[in-house]
Each structure stands twice: as C-alpha cells, then as structure tokens.
DNA sequence: TGAATTATGTGGTCTGACCACTGGTATGGC
DNA sequence: GCCATACCAGTGGTCAGACCACATAATTCA
C-alpha cells in the first residue's frame, strides 16, 4: 500500500512558497528578496533546498543573485534559458526548419496585429522587425520572438514570411464549419 | 583592479559539463545519467553544486529524477516549466490579453502552414485545433502552442483568430520597402 | 574631516551525516 | 527447484555546519 500522496519535494515547495511570498509582499522587478538564510528560516527548509530552488529560478532568468549583496527579482526580458534549452532542444537536424517557420509565424502575427490596431503604415515604422514587434505592444510575443530569433538565424528577405503571408491570404476558414 | 575573469560558478560549470557529458556519451532520452555522487567525483564538484544543476535541469523538464533509482534524460515534450513561468510571467493584469493574442497568432500561423502545405481542407481534418497543430508537423510550434493554451483559456468561436485572419488579409507588405 | 579598518551580512561551496526508497542478492523454508 | 522473506548496497532528498569571497555599513584613528 503505497502512500500516493507523498509530500512534494522541499525543492518544489520552496519554489512555490517563494513565488507566494513574492506575490504577498508585492515585490517588483529589481526588488530584493530575503536572503537564503532567512528564507531557510521562514520556510523551515534547509538552506540547500532553498538554494536549489533559487538556482533553478536563476537559470530561468527569473531572479538574479549578486554575491555579497543578495538576490533580486528580475525582468524576464533577459531570457536566460535560451542557450540552455537550445542546446538541448533546438539543436540538431531539421529542427532549424521548424524554428524558422515559427519565427515567420510570429512575424506574420505581428503584422496582423499591427494591421488590426489601426491603419498601420508598415513602411514608416522603421524597417527592423525588432521595432515592429515592439510596436505590437505584446510583451509575450516580444519575448518569444527574441528567443526564437536567436536560433533562427537571419532570413534576409523575409522570404518565409512573405510565403506565409501569401498562404494566409488563401485561407478559407470559418469556425462554423 | 577587479579580476574580470572570475571563474564561472560551479553551478553553471556543472550544467555545461553535464551537457557535455551527455553529448560525449551520446545519451538518449530515457537513458540514465551518472549518479549525483559519481558526477560529483568525475567533475570534482561538490555534490550540492551538482544537485543545484540537476534540480535546475529538472525544473526545465530536461531530466527526471527517481528516488532510489537515479536520474534520467527526458523528452522535452512534457513541458514542465509552464506552470512555473506562468505564475511569474503570464499571470497578472492584462497579460491575459497578450496570451490570447499569441495563441491566435500561432493558430493563424498553423493555418497558413497547412494552407501552404498543399490544398489542405480545413473542414475535413477534424475540428479541434489540437489536430490541426499536429498536422502542421512542427514540434516547436506544437510545444509553444500547448504551453500557451494552458494559460489562454478557451476562445469558443475562435473569435480572435478570425479577427487576426481578417487583419492578415489586409496586410500590404513587401520587404523591398 | 577623511581615510583605513573592522564588523556584519550575503551568496558560493564543500563535507558529512542521516533518511526514504529501489532493486538486486542472499537466505531459508517448502 | 521454487518462492517468499530478509537483507544490503546504491541512489536521490534533506539537513546542519563550516568555511570562503565579496559588498556594504559602521567604527576607529590619524
């Protein structure tokens, strides 16, 4: 008879409690979070487990640690996890193709959003997609696009985007079926 | 005079060395990686640091640990990091809007890809987007979409998608500028 | 006053010690 | 020979304590 409800690992518990604490205390980006030793006390969890949690969050780019100073909340914009996940996931075979497609998809979506926003003049807003993405004013989109871009390499003439745009215009789709 | 070339933290060193080891030994998904104590020995790094690295990788869903058995490489398909990043990033205010938009963007892109693939009949391939995404045959797209979907909630009539699709058809864009 | 020193707090790391769990091995009865 | 039991070694999970390296604030002293 195995007790299926084994308590979650302290490591995971620490993570969620830290999140909780951040919410409760309304901590903002740049704010300092309690020291490892204090967290260890307040959560009644060994410092090692607290550290495991913090290191994981750090790798995700959610926090930043500065020796001698403390641990701080961080803006997600600095996407830490990319090079890591990249080597594990993106690398290899024809995944590059997938990455390029997804990048084009995001860019197509970006254009669509801008087009929806009002009569947006594509030829005025600067040529770089970086600027277009920012103009779309969607942080999540921006983050994902930046991450993907790091791995997609360049697509000089936005060939793939043009291709997708053309394809999109052909779509006959109504959810009414 | 600060020594700018301070050695990277053992924690990060451990991660990259573990990655290295995985490549060198050509380990596949499901394979067992050396025990924490053995890693500690082979890398000449304390077990605590090794654990910090492993826990971080675990949180990313790259490895899986089973007490009493060992640590195993894992398929990325199980997207672990979602609930985590979610509460940190997605949550809150009007971000929900952003999430919904990105979801629609991915779906629009999915349709475009299917449309490009050949004359794809949208009304035949099953009604769920899950199936459409799979048909698009792009793992990365699939992963991101699943992640996003967890947070986007449902959009019964694909209202937003329709909206974006309409907007996309209005786009006048040529990279020639 | 102002520079040097000290004290304190923080993250970074290692070690050793347990515990809980798994899987194989040995033991012993049948 | 077979099977159930007990045992043991290996592994992850956790903790506590001890240092070190570093940054900052407080203190001291010229």
């Amino acid at each position: 008879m195995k007790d299926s409800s084994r308590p979650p690992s302290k490591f995971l518990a620490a993570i969620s409690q830290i999140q909780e604490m951040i919410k409760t205390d309304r901590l903002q980006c740049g704010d300092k979070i309690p020291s490892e030793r204090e967290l260890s006390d307040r959560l009644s969890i060994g410092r090692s487990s607290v550290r495991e949690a913090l290191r994981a969050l750090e790798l995700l780019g959610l926090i930043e640690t500065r020796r001698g100073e403390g641990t701080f909340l961080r803006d997600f914009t600095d996407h830490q996890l990319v090079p890591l996940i990249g080597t594990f996931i993106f690398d290899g075979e024809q995944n590059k193709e997938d990455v390029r497609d997804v990048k084009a998809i995001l860019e197509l979506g970006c254009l669509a959003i801008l087009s929806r926003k009002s009569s947006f003049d594509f030829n005025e807003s600067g040529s770089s997609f970086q600027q277009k993405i920012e103009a779309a004013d969607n942080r999540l989109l921006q983050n994902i696009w930046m991450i993907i871009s790091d791995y997609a390499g360049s697509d000089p003439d936005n060939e793939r985007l043009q291709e997708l745009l053309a394809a999109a215009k052909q779509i006959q789709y109504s959810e009414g079926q």
Side-chain angles (χ1 to χ4, degrees), chain A:
Chain A
M1 189 72 65
K2 186 169 291 292
D3 180 11
S4 62
S5 64
R6 195 190 311 166
S9 68
K10 296 298 180 74
F11 158 65
L12 290 176
I15 290 188
S16 50
Q17 293 194 58
I18 290 173
Q19 289 180 260
E20 201 62 39
M21 180 177 301
I22 290 174
K23 266 185 193 164
T24 304
D25 297 357
R26 291 196 174 24
L27 297 184
Q28 307 283 328
C29 291
D31 287 353
K32 188 173 182 298
I33 70 180
S35 76
E36 298 178 351
R37 291 169 175 87
E38 182 179 347
L39 283 175
S40 174
D41 278 353
R42 281 170 63 174
L43 307 181
S44 300
I45 293 179
R47 191 184 160 208
S48 8
S49 296
V50 169
R51 275 188 62 83
E52 288 176 11
L54 290 179
R55 291 292 74 68
L57 294 180
E58 181 183 14
L59 192 66
L60 287 177
L62 299 176
I63 62 175
E64 177 185 6
T65 57
R66 296 202 281 270
R67 172 193 249 163
E69 299 183 60
T71 307
F72 304 83
L73 270 191
R74 178 169 177 169
D75 192 349
F76 182 60
T77 318
D78 313 305
H79 44 287
Q80 210 67 6
L81 60 178
V82 190
L84 182 77
I85 300 202
T87 49
F88 269 87
I89 310 307
F90 291 167
D91 261 15
E93 342 83 63
Q94 73 108 38
N95 292 27
K96 289 281 183 191
E97 282 302 300
D98 287 2
V99 177
R100 270 191 271 271
D101 272 339
V102 171
K103 176 162 178 278
I105 288 176
L106 296 176
E107 291 170 349
L108 170 61
C110 172
L111 294 182
I113 282 192
L114 292 179
S115 161
R116 185 185 62 180
K117 252 185 170 23
S118 67
S119 46
F120 184 84
D121 187 349
F122 296 110
N123 299 325
E124 268 190 8
S125 69
S127 56
S128 85
F129 234 103
Q130 177 74 44
Q131 294 170 282
K132 291 192 180 65
I133 291 277
E134 282 168 14
D137 190 31
N138 182 322
R139 279 289 284 254
L140 180 58
L141 173 63
Q142 196 174 331
N143 280 330
I144 301 180
W145 181 80
M146 287 194 299
I147 294 178
I148 300 289
S149 292
D150 281 354
Y151 277 87
S154 62
D155 179 18
D157 297 323
N158 283 338
E159 206 175 302
R160 205 164 295 234
L161 171 56
Q162 301 279 1
E163 202 178 308
L164 268 192
L165 177 54
K169 293 189 176 180
Q170 306 267 326
I171 297 175
Q172 299 302 323
Y173 179 71
S174 59
E175 191 50 22
Q177 302 265 327

